[in-house]
Amino acid sequence: MKQKIFFKTFGCRTNIYDSQVMMSAIEKYDIIENESEADVVVINSCTVTNGADTHVRSYISHIEKIADAKVFLTGCGAHTKGERLLEQGRVSGVFGQSEKLRIDEMLSKDEPFYELGDLNYIDEAVVDDFVGKSRAFIKIQEGCDFRCSYCIIPYVRGDARSMDEIKILEQITRLARNGFGEFILTGTNVGSYGQKTDTSIASLMKKISQIRGVRRIRLGSVEPIQITDEFKEILREPWLEKHLHIALQHTSPQMLKFMNRRNVYKQDKELFELLASEGFAIGTDFITGHPGESTKLWNEAIKNMKELPLTHLHAFSYSKRDGTPSCTMKPEVNGKLAKERLHELENIVKVKNFEFRKAFSGSLDILVESQKDDLYIGYDQHFNKILIKSNEDLLGNWVNIQNYEAKEESNYGSI
Ligand code: SF4
């Protein structure tokens, strides 16, 4: 009788992809949905903030309480917290992302082990399915060559490198054949795809769009400097989502210097205005409360933020990360104040998102992903959520809605 295994995934879309690869590769275990019945639990961890580490530790405590299971750690936390957790006997083994295709062999080891493998490996895996998902995350790139002063990721994901283009296209061809129509290209610094292999993300997306069954391509977070002239040529392509997530991290020129960011606010503003004029919804990342964020620099940042045509925001208040240049920087910003600034930002973008949805008069092209009570939930081409009333089963379907109501919290439609 096969042992039962449960996969717990923390963090980003790249981790979601890596977990899918492990779930597809495993043969000696039965994958279950209920962690309390598991004989083995694999934690695909995140370590982007000290808080992320705390979540992983408290999850291990949770498993220790509810299940009689062996726990194994992989993901980015394996590189920062793995050794300590192994020494404490809280996990039975630690393995790096490069070892995930050897998962059966890893989990059947009798002795505790610590095998981080190769930080700069190139992923060769190809999956046929995305369990429980109606859209597919495709890892096309891994690692990062930027050195933002608050970020630990380059040290746990390695240098920027691109997956083999043939493998990526094969991957998408297989998933499209299995009914997937929407593909989210993901990576650690996805916009750097192709930089060392003499190609580019725009060229790859054009090739992907030629694959039978590909209906919409979405992109993970890119850097402003990666929206090149070549990329601008595909902005009007029908297969490209009408939303882009472009990481600014701050809108005060001085703060961008403190954070060792490569983007320049003046150019960011010009780029966002160009994209908005092309009808794009635009999201960004922002960190409030990074050391050095004085009231003067904050007021400047807010003034700039208000003038940007934003619709989506992925923001955090700064969280010290041991081992990064920022963790020793001064003056520090009070945590409560950093949270207040975060909420101020969120409110600004919430209003902008509602304005954008009210102003849009075209039809919405929606992939229905889930259902809650009697409403179906999907995302449109602008990556805005819509709740749909219908007597038909819409799960996994593409629907086009012209008449819908834009309310503050979401759009509402019926079919
Ligand atoms: S671009 Fe900066 S924030 Fe993003 S992964 Fe690289 S170093 Fe970290």
Side-chain angles (χ1 to χ4, degrees), residues 48 143-155 157 187-189 221 223 226 247 249 259-262 285 287:
V48 74
C144 180
D145 292 343
F146 287 39
R147 288 294 179 272
C148 305
S149 54
Y150 50 84
C151 186
I152 194 83
I153 297 172
Y155 312 102
R157 282 273 181 188
T188 314
N189 187 329
S221 180
E223 297 290 324
Q226 293 162 344
Q249 303 296 2
M259 297 162 93
N260 196 30
R261 293 284 300 161
R262 295 188 187 184
D285 295 336
I287 296 174

Side-chain angles (χ1 to χ4, degrees), residues 64-65 89 106 122 134 228 313 322 396:
E64 285 164 348
K65 278 200 209 87
M106 289 282 163
I122 299 271
S134 47
T228 59
L313 181 68
D322 304 341

Side-chain angles (χ1 to χ4, degrees), residues 272-333:
F272 279 34
E273 285 165 353
L274 168 86
L275 294 171
S277 71
E278 293 284 340
F280 275 80
I282 306 167
T284 197
D285 295 336
F286 199 110
I287 296 174
T288 65
H290 183 278
E293 192 184 73
S294 63
T295 305
K296 180 167 168 287
L297 293 182
W298 175 250
N299 293 338
E300 175 193 44
I302 276 289
K303 179 180 137 312
N304 291 343
M305 198 65 174
K306 285 178 177 163
E307 62 186 31
L308 289 177
L310 280 166
T311 57
H312 296 69
L313 181 68
H314 204 215
F316 294 95
S317 57
Y318 174 71
S319 164
K320 203 181 267 189
R321 184 61 268 195
D322 304 341
T324 62
S326 295
C327 81
T328 54
M329 277 187 196
K330 303 282 181 234
E332 292 188 7
V333 176

Side-chain angles (χ1 to χ4, degrees), residues 103-161:
I103 188 155
D104 274 319
E105 178 204 332
M106 289 282 163
L107 303 188
S108 37
K109 285 175 187 278
D110 299 328
E111 298 302 314
F113 63 88
Y114 182 72
E115 281 191 47
L116 289 185
D118 172 9
L119 193 57
N120 288 307
Y121 78 107
I122 299 271
D123 212 327
E124 297 279 321
V126 172
V127 297
D128 286 319
D129 192 7
F130 259 85
V131 180
K133 304 238 184 262
S134 47
R135 51 199 190 128
F137 296 95
I138 307 298
K139 183 163 77 175
I140 63 169
Q141 184 277 343
E142 183 121 38
C144 180
D145 292 343
F146 287 39
R147 288 294 179 272
C148 305
S149 54
Y150 50 84
C151 186
I152 194 83
I153 297 172
Y155 312 102
V156 294
R157 282 273 181 188
D159 298 334
R161 59 223 190 258

Side-chain angles (χ1 to χ4, degrees), residues 45-70:
S45 62
C46 171
T47 195
V48 74
T49 60
N50 289 357
D53 289 342
T54 310
H55 290 147
V56 169
R57 278 194 295 269
S58 41
Y59 183 73
I60 294 173
S61 309
H62 168 67
I63 292 296
E64 285 164 348
K65 278 200 209 87
I66 65 156
D68 178 19
K70 277 177 104 177

Side-chain angles (χ1 to χ4, degrees), residues 17-75:
Y17 177 86
D18 288 345
S19 291
Q20 184 58 48
V21 170
M22 288 188 277
M23 289 193 263
S24 303
I26 207 150
E27 285 166 4
K28 291 186 182 161
Y29 298 81
D30 281 335
I31 299 171
I32 59 167
E33 298 296 317
N34 181 347
E35 62 213 337
S36 65
E37 294 163 14
D39 302 304
V40 170
V41 173
V42 172
I43 301 175
N44 190 3
S45 62
C46 171
T47 195
V48 74
T49 60
N50 289 357
D53 289 342
T54 310
H55 290 147
V56 169
R57 278 194 295 269
S58 41
Y59 183 73
I60 294 173
S61 309
H62 168 67
I63 292 296
E64 285 164 348
K65 278 200 209 87
I66 65 156
D68 178 19
K70 277 177 104 177
V71 177
F72 295 87
L73 185 76
T74 187

